[in-house]
Amino acid sequence: MLSSPFPPPQDQAIPVSELNRRTRALLENSFPPLWVSGEISNLTRHGSGHWYFSLKDDKAQVRCVMFRHRNQYLDFEVREGMQVEARAIVTLYEPRGDFQLNVETLRPGGLGALYEAFARLKARLEAEGLFVPERKRPLPSFPRAVGIITSREAAALRDVLTTLRRRMPSLPVVIYPTPVQGRGAAARIAEAIGIANQRGECDVLILCRGGGSIEDLWEFNEEIVARAIVASHIPIVCGVGHETDFTIADFAADVRAPTPTAAAELASPNRVELAHKLDRFAARLARDMQRTLETRMQHLDHLAKRLRHPGERLRQQADELAHWRQRLGQAVQGQLARRRWQLAHLAARLAAARPDLARRRQGLDHLGTRLTRATAQSLAHWRQRLASLEAHLGHLNPRAVLNRGYSIVRNEAGEIVTRASQLQMGETVALTFAVGGADARVLDTHAPTPETG
């Protein structure tokens, strides 16, 4: 049990503001947010956006306030005398001591379960991606035919047909009659959408019915209808109820129209607008053609001014040819004169640079004599040098030494022996004489004497 905000009785008086503050705290702590049902009366929409009204039944009433940041999210129109259910906080308005409800949200009375079912289905289908804009298809600008899915007795059918006749009388219309209210109507609506797709008679479909309560429109909140709309390969315009009515079919459709009449306007071209547009295009085309003709005529006048008689042009070209002939002759004569002057100049330079052949020949003879003499002297010098070198080579020739009685001794390895210490007892040596050679065996070696080193 919640403790009371009031202290034990005391003789000391408290201000009214303190009393109201404690009373408000007691009320807000004692009552959690709860749903209260009743009829709206004395509804006042303040300039600040806040709403002030009373909820009443046949026995009592209570003051209510709903602030702007709460009421702006309601998806239905609140009217005087409407039965509603309000989720509210029980409180006290301290400045006046008024007992009141601080309303957080409203829903039509007795329809809470339907609205909750609507919200749950909408959230689930939205999570599956059935309502994403990327999935939805554009409406054809000039459909071959328009299909209407609704009841034959529906007032919406008459509104749609009237609108289509007014906008485009020649547009074919195919009606797929189906009940739009009552048990089993949702399955019949889905079946009609499937039939229209199988036949392929239309380029766009209008799913419509007039306004009504949420119970009357509930068939358009069924999942089977939403999935049939999504599965349709023909674009669907949904015009169900009034502008403030929203159904699951509106979210699933390719285009949502606020009313059946608006759905017919979205699905069909307007012949008046098309005629006006055609007139504008025709006027623009005429202006462009006129502007083009004027431009071409002006260009033609310009070309006519430039046009000359062929004889005059031939005379002009003959004059130009004579002028160029004269200039060419002058250029040739000038070029010949320059070439003659250059030739004379070069001849003078050649004469000045011509050598004295007799003197050059005499010098050449003199040089020949000197060359002969120098060659003979050089040959004598080199013969003498060669004889001297031959004499020196003769002294250095090993054969000359051998001729004087010496010989060359080689060991078994073929090395020349110059010392007795290089030989071993019994070793075979090869002897080379001035003429011929011989093999010998070492019987003994002798140490060097002082005289031989």
Side-chain angles (χ1 to χ4, degrees), residues 163-373:
T163 303
L164 293 177
R165 280 195 299 270
R166 172 175 53 83
R167 290 174 61 84
M168 186 60 68
S170 61
L171 182 63
V173 176
V174 180
I175 300 175
Y176 302 93
T178 182
V180 292
Q181 183 176 342
R183 183 182 299 273
R188 298 286 297 277
I189 294 172
E191 181 182 0
I193 294 174
I195 292 173
N197 278 268
Q198 290 175 3
R199 293 181 181 177
E201 301 166 314
C202 308
D203 294 333
V204 62
L205 292 175
I206 298 175
L207 178 62
C208 62
R209 70 147 288 163
S213 65
I214 189 171
E215 295 98 330
D216 297 336
L217 305 179
W218 190 252
E219 302 303 326
F220 295 90
N221 290 321
E222 295 288 351
E223 182 176 356
I224 187 174
V225 175
R227 294 196 179 276
I229 292 174
V230 173
S232 172
H233 63 266
I234 302 175
I236 295 179
V237 182
C238 186
V240 175
H242 300 299
E243 187 170 356
T244 57
D245 295 325
F246 279 87
T247 65
I248 298 295
D250 289 319
F251 295 107
D254 297 288
V255 177
R256 185 254 176 186
T259 62
T261 300
E265 293 176 350
L266 290 172
S268 62
N270 189 341
R271 63 169 180 170
V272 177
E273 293 179 359
L274 291 176
H276 290 332
K277 186 180 295 186
L278 186 61
D279 291 341
R280 290 196 301 272
F281 286 158
R284 183 185 302 174
L285 180 61
R287 289 195 302 271
D288 292 343
M289 289 297 296
Q290 183 64 29
R291 188 179 302 112
T292 302
L293 288 174
E294 292 172 354
T295 303
R296 296 301 184 210
M297 288 188 294
Q298 185 177 358
H299 184 62
L300 183 61
D301 292 340
H302 178 69
L303 293 177
K305 292 179 181 179
R306 296 176 57 189
L307 185 62
R308 299 169 61 184
H309 192 276
E312 182 180 353
R313 297 201 62 178
L314 287 174
R315 285 191 297 274
Q316 180 183 359
Q317 292 176 357
D319 294 341
E320 291 179 356
L321 183 60
H323 172 70
W324 286 112
R325 184 184 297 111
Q326 181 182 1
R327 289 190 60 182
L328 180 60
Q330 293 174 353
V332 170
Q333 293 299 325
Q335 189 72 10
L336 288 174
R338 284 193 299 272
R339 291 289 184 253
R340 290 191 186 99
W341 180 85
Q342 290 176 357
L343 184 60
H345 178 69
L346 291 175
R349 288 181 61 188
L350 181 61
R354 180 179 297 170
D356 187 353
L357 295 179
R359 188 167 60 84
R360 297 296 184 186
R361 186 177 294 107
Q362 183 179 0
L364 183 63
D365 294 340
H366 176 68
L367 291 174
T369 303
R370 289 181 60 188
L371 178 62
T372 302
R373 189 182 307 116

